[in-house]
Amino acid sequence: MYETILALVMLAALVLYALFAGADYGGGMWDLLAFGPNRRQQRDAIADAIGPVWEANHVWLILVIVLLFSAFPPAFGMIMTALFMPMILILIGIVLRGTTFVFRKYDLQRDAVHRRWSAIFGIASFLTPFFLGLSLGALATGDIRVEEGVIISGFYAGWTTAFAVGCGLFAQGLFAYLAAVYMTVETEDNPAVQRDFQIRSLISAVTLAPAALLVYLLAGDGAPYLFDGLSQWWSPPIGAAVSLLGIGAVVALWVRRFAWARVAAVLQVTLILVGWGLAQFPYVIVPDVTFADAATAPATLRLLTLILGAGTVLLLPAFAYLFYIFKRRRLPADSR
Amino acid sequence: MEDFFFARSLMALSLAFHIVFAVMGIGMPLLMAMAEGKYLRTKEPVYLDLAKRWARGTAILFAVGAVSGTVLSFELGLLWPDFMAVAGGVIGMPFSLEGFAFFTEAIFLGIYLYAWDRMPPLAHWLSGVVVAVSGALSGVFVITANAWMNAPVGFDLVDGVITNVDPVAAMMNPAALQQIIHMILASYVAVGFAVSAVHAFFLRKDRTSTFHRYAFGLALLMAMVSIPLELVSGDRIAKMTAVLQPPKFAAMEAHYHTESGAPLVIGGLPDDAEMETRYALEIPYGLSFLAHGDVGAEVTGLDAYPRDEWPNVTIVHWAFDIMVGCGMMMFVLALWTGWKWARTRRLPDDPRLLLALIAAGPLGFIAIEAGWIVTEVGRQPWIIWGVLRTEDAVTPVSGLAAPFIAFTVLYVFLSVVLVFLLKRQFLETHSGNHRS
């Protein structure tokens, strides 16, 4: 029971990481891709949007990692062993992205050094989500095999498949889309820049649909268990909802109802990840390790659940307060 | 074997790098909150200026601390998967709590840094206090987990399998309290001395700068209050180690032979083969007194343990002496400063004292790095004391030289950039008395 709760909490934390930090990565991508007459203002708007919140957003990933090693310690060891290389690349990306963002922010002299940090920030923002998506995809391939707690499939299994690469690219697209949609709301006081992000979010929304289809088709061969999972009863409604929300987001973007587009995008990403989570459950690593297999002592699981409950009660208000302070003018009810 | 070496080196490198920023994340928010608190009481704009300046430094350092801490949490599994498989369920608890403390810190630091004019002054100051408290709490939880590696309790080991896990008992392990006190105080000492050194530097150039006078005064206060307490804590933690981990203690003191009335060995060249330390300064009965408070007490030497359970004596002994040496030097400086203050009843800004304090800037950090070498290398060959050997916990992945080199390059790059950036940040302000 507790392992299921904790698995759900991990999924929830992952969703929040995608919604918040994912958009920060997307912001970095748009920073690198900034072009046109307003590119300086685009970059400034992105920096303003990310600045106060990125550290708090980053913590959702820590929560996933900490839960994985406290509640499912053997799975943590196995994943880190099997995905050693992409994980190292994720780490380098996280380090470079976080530090260069802050360096750039606090370096008041806008010279060549400043631009170089921007470039590193942008490149790291592209690479980290790719390897994150790749790693998550790898866990679903069924290629990572475990026997008596030991990885027997080598250090290249899973993440070197077409499906995993597809997941990496899809994660990039998803985050870029989220960021562009959020930025349309963030730039309400600057119509020219807002139009830039409107165009960017429409382009990414339209590109994302075939990409999603491609990942789905790749799953047929590349992640058969996941693919089967997607044919259960709950799958068609989720799929339909995601498609409708996608169309809704495009329409809202088109008619400049940006706050509603943001709601649609958030729900879309949430449903995609929840669908993936449901399809992969009960496996941490398909097909050899379930959450129940990897769960640690019941006493620890129970305490962890308690701590999570108490911690959430304390922290969610603080997290909400952070966003209230910096984003309050931008709730749907306030916008035209 | 080579991969084992690189796994240990990568972990050591990552820890050594992260500790600097973790310590800054504990000390700087306290200074920043102290400065803003002073501003709220005195309404002197210099203090506001100071709080803002320190907050920017905190932001830069915190970002590096956050990402290098992330690296560590991944590396626990990347480099020591079998350690995590054993320990995760037992000491995952403090790590989860640390996650929450860190989350609180990140949220309120975001508020603190960006909401100067978006909330009432008192609420803003309180968010700074929350950052300082949760920063220290993060430290408390991580050290609790480390203390468990030195004093593992809260489980039964049956045929190599861990059962009867009691995560609360594991958190309450006998090493936790002393280690926590020692490290949190060390953070205040190190940050206090380092920051007062920076401002002493500018004060030497311009003794009339109120900005640097006030900054120097606050940082000095933090350093001077913490260092004597740290010496007391050091003594207690040494006595504890003599009881809990006698081989570590023996290595710290380069003490090879179990004997009564043992001398204190300072410096020298430990020689494992001959089991003696040459060229050392010896203080008769010193070790027995320090370890057990009795000049005649018997102190267990390394000879009581099989050779393959010894840590590297030279490294541990020297790291220990360096740590203690730095602590003593800082204590002497504190006495000098206190004496100056008591005589003149004003901020001690004697040029010679300022020069000495500038020179002492890095001592706290050197002591911390050396202290962690004592703790970690001193625990070897065990990753969990008496339970799991480090070599049995290492990842099966090979070619670890590559990530080691990659992270070395990365950390060197970050260090250079940081120094450059903090310098740009400071050079911009050091000229004198603004807005006061």
Side-chain angles (χ1 to χ4, degrees):
Chain A
M1 209 268 277
Y2 287 112
E3 66 261 20
T4 309
I5 296 176
L6 291 168
L8 283 173
V9 174
M10 280 170 60
L11 179 62
L14 206 61
V15 170
L16 291 168
Y17 183 67
L19 290 177
F20 291 108
D24 294 345
Y25 287 114
M29 298 181 207
W30 292 119
D31 183 284
L32 190 69
L33 296 179
F35 69 95
N38 309 318
R39 61 178 180 277
R40 172 81 168 270
Q41 283 144 296
Q42 291 169 13
R43 289 191 167 128
D44 287 348
I46 292 167
D48 286 346
I50 300 177
V53 293
W54 79 269
E55 311 247 31
N57 294 346
H58 171 73
V59 186
W60 293 113
L61 178 67
I62 311 275
L63 186 62
V64 176
I65 293 296
V66 168
L67 275 181
L68 187 61
F69 75 55
S70 329
F72 309 102
F76 177 66
M78 291 171 207
I79 291 171
M80 292 294 161
T81 305
L83 300 175
F84 188 88
M85 277 168 256
M87 288 291 163
I88 288 281
L89 293 169
I90 287 173
L91 283 181
I92 293 175
I94 285 176
V95 170
L96 284 176
R97 186 190 79 103
T99 50
T100 49
F101 177 71
V102 175
F103 290 170
R104 188 182 67 159
K105 152 98 189 142
Y106 285 99
D107 189 1
L108 304 169
Q109 303 172 30
R110 291 190 177 243
D111 52 12
V113 184
H114 199 271
R115 280 192 297 280
R116 209 170 305 146
W117 288 337
S118 284
I120 300 175
F121 168 64
I123 293 168
S125 297
F126 261 102
L127 291 183
T128 316
F130 174 75
F131 288 109
L132 278 170
L134 177 93
S135 301
L136 282 182
L139 296 180
T141 55
D143 293 354
I144 301 174
R145 298 307 303 266
V146 179
E147 221 167 66
E148 293 181 6
V150 178
I151 303 283
I152 53 161
S153 50
F155 309 122
Y156 295 91
W159 61 276
T160 47
T161 62
F163 172 73
V165 171
C167 288
L169 293 172
F170 185 64
Q172 285 179 320
L174 210 58
F175 291 172
Y177 166 65
L178 268 182
V181 174
Y182 291 180
M183 287 311 297
T184 59
V185 186
E186 297 275 345
T187 52
E188 261 163 3
D189 38 9
N190 190 337
V193 179
Q194 191 179 34
R195 179 167 294 274
D196 289 345
F197 283 112
Q198 181 189 18
I199 296 166
R200 280 160 179 72
S201 45
L202 281 168
I203 293 172
S204 41
V206 173
T207 328
L208 207 53
L213 186 67
L214 181 71
V215 172
Y216 178 72
L217 293 177
L218 284 174
D221 273 345
Y225 179 81
L226 202 68
F227 193 75
D228 285 349
L230 290 176
S231 61
Q232 288 172 42
W233 64 267
W234 46 261
S235 179
I238 288 187
V242 169
S243 313
L244 284 175
L245 285 164
I247 294 165
V250 169
V251 171
L253 286 167
W254 192 264
V255 301
R256 308 182 60 78
R257 292 287 189 159
F258 297 119
W260 289 107
R262 179 171 66 176
V263 172
V266 162
L267 290 175
Q268 229 181 323
V269 173
T270 307
L271 284 179
I272 291 171
L273 286 172
V274 168
W276 160 76
L278 286 175
Q280 185 168 322
F281 195 80
Y283 291 105
V284 191
I285 306 171
V286 179
D288 292 326
V289 187
T290 65
F291 281 99
D293 293 339
T296 186
T300 305
L301 292 180
R302 200 163 47 235
L303 254 172
L304 265 177
T305 315
L306 273 174
I307 287 179
L308 274 175
T312 310
V313 170
L314 288 174
L315 266 190
L316 275 187
F319 192 67
Y321 181 57
L322 175 73
F323 277 80
Y324 170 75
I325 292 182
F326 295 106
K327 316 276 180 193
R328 70 183 130 187
R329 288 182 300 111
R330 294 166 177 150
L331 296 172
D334 296 340
S335 71
R336 272 149 301 160
Chain B
M1 205 54 219
E2 194 177 68
D3 281 315
F4 179 49
F5 170 77
F6 281 115
R8 286 186 61 187
S9 304
L10 178 53
M11 197 69 196
L13 173 77
S14 307
L15 279 166
F17 184 81
H18 176 68
I19 281 172
V20 174
F21 302 96
V23 163
M24 286 289 190
I26 293 173
M28 285 305 293
L30 183 61
L31 281 178
M32 154 191 117
M34 277 164 74
E36 197 186 359
K38 280 290 252 183
Y39 167 70
L40 290 179
R41 274 215 323 242
T42 63
K43 297 289 171 218
E44 283 194 56
V46 184
Y47 278 122
L48 181 63
D49 217 21
L50 186 55
K52 287 192 174 175
R53 186 69 53 189
W54 275 344
R56 287 162 113 183
T58 306
I60 299 171
L61 297 165
F62 183 80
V64 182
V67 294
S68 58
T70 308
V71 171
L72 281 174
S73 64
F74 275 74
E75 276 180 355
L76 287 175
L78 288 169
L79 301 174
W80 318 105
D82 291 337
F83 163 68
M84 287 317 291
V86 172
V90 192
I91 53 151
M93 199 65 56
F95 280 114
S96 308
L97 291 168
E98 195 273 343
F100 280 110
F102 176 55
F103 213 154
T104 314
E105 198 180 352
I107 289 173
F108 284 92
L109 187 65
I111 293 175
Y112 190 86
L113 291 175
Y114 287 83
W116 284 97
D117 40 16
R118 293 190 195 209
M119 57 202 294
L122 190 65
H124 185 265
W125 176 71
L126 280 176
S127 68
V129 173
V130 173
V131 176
V133 172
S134 49
L137 272 180
S138 288
V140 167
F141 292 128
V142 170
I143 296 158
T144 304
N146 178 271
W148 178 83
M149 293 161 74
N150 287 322
V153 292
F155 62 93
D156 290 330
L157 197 63
V158 181
D159 299 331
V161 179
I162 282 194
T163 55
N164 285 334
V165 172
D166 182 347
V168 177
M171 277 187 72
M172 304 289 178
N173 67 75
L177 185 63
Q178 298 300 338
Q179 272 194 238
I180 288 168
I181 294 172
H182 198 59
M183 187 60 203
I184 300 292
L185 280 173
S187 305
Y188 295 138
V189 169
V191 173
F193 273 94
V195 174
S196 56
V198 169
H199 293 285
F201 175 79
F202 290 115
L203 212 52
R204 247 177 79 84
K205 288 186 170 171
D206 174 10
R207 218 91 66 77
T208 62
S209 160
T210 42
F211 180 82
H212 292 298
R213 288 193 82 82
Y214 288 7
F216 176 68
L218 286 178
L220 202 59
L221 179 68
M222 185 159 105
M224 297 308 141
V225 171
S226 314
I227 183 71
L229 297 174
E230 182 67 342
L231 291 197
V232 177
S233 154
D235 176 57
R236 299 196 55 178
I237 203 168
K239 287 186 165 68
M240 177 191 85
T241 309
V243 176
L244 288 180
Q245 295 174 299
K248 181 195 269 186
F249 185 76
M252 279 154 61
E253 307 285 2
H255 181 60
Y256 285 103
H257 301 281
T258 305
E259 59 183 318
S260 310
L264 182 66
V265 176
I266 299 174
L269 294 177
D271 182 340
D272 286 1
E274 298 291 324
M275 296 194 42
E276 64 175 18
T277 305
R278 277 190 297 269
Y279 315 117
L281 177 66
E282 290 198 6
I283 300 173
Y285 306 107
L287 186 58
S288 286
F289 180 73
L290 279 180
H292 302 292
D294 169 7
V295 290
E298 184 180 89
V299 182
T300 314
L302 285 161
D303 58 0
Y305 301 92
R307 189 63 68 98
D308 75 333
E309 287 183 15
W310 292 10
N312 184 316
V313 181
T314 308
I315 292 178
V316 177
H317 176 59
W318 270 97
F320 179 68
D321 280 1
I322 288 171
M323 173 183 73
V324 174
C326 290
M328 289 301 170
M329 282 193 267
M330 288 187 285
F331 183 61
V332 168
L333 267 175
L335 290 179
W336 183 6
T337 313
W339 179 67
K340 280 270 175 206
W341 181 83
R343 266 197 353 173
T344 58
R345 295 273 157 188
R346 56 190 293 277
L347 187 69
D349 60 352
D350 179 304
R352 277 185 309 164
L353 179 62
L354 289 183
L355 196 63
L357 281 168
I358 294 168
L363 287 182
F365 282 96
I366 295 173
I368 284 175
E369 296 285 359
W372 277 99
I373 291 172
V374 172
T375 315
E376 297 297 286
V377 180
R379 197 186 54 238
Q380 302 307 321
W382 304 102
I383 190 166
I384 306 173
W385 181 253
V387 175
L388 181 66
R389 278 174 175 260
T390 314
E391 62 197 319
D392 296 332
V394 73
T395 178
V397 176
S398 57
L400 295 179
F404 173 72
I405 292 166
F407 276 95
T408 307
V409 171
L410 187 63
Y411 288 147
V412 169
F413 164 77
L414 286 181
S415 310
V416 171
V417 170
L418 256 176
V419 170
F420 171 75
L421 192 67
L422 289 172
K423 228 175 99 191
R424 288 230 277 197
Q425 194 65 9
F426 266 106
L427 286 181
E428 189 214 356
T429 66
H430 81 274
S431 50
N433 279 322
H434 38 211
R435 276 185 274 154
S436 62

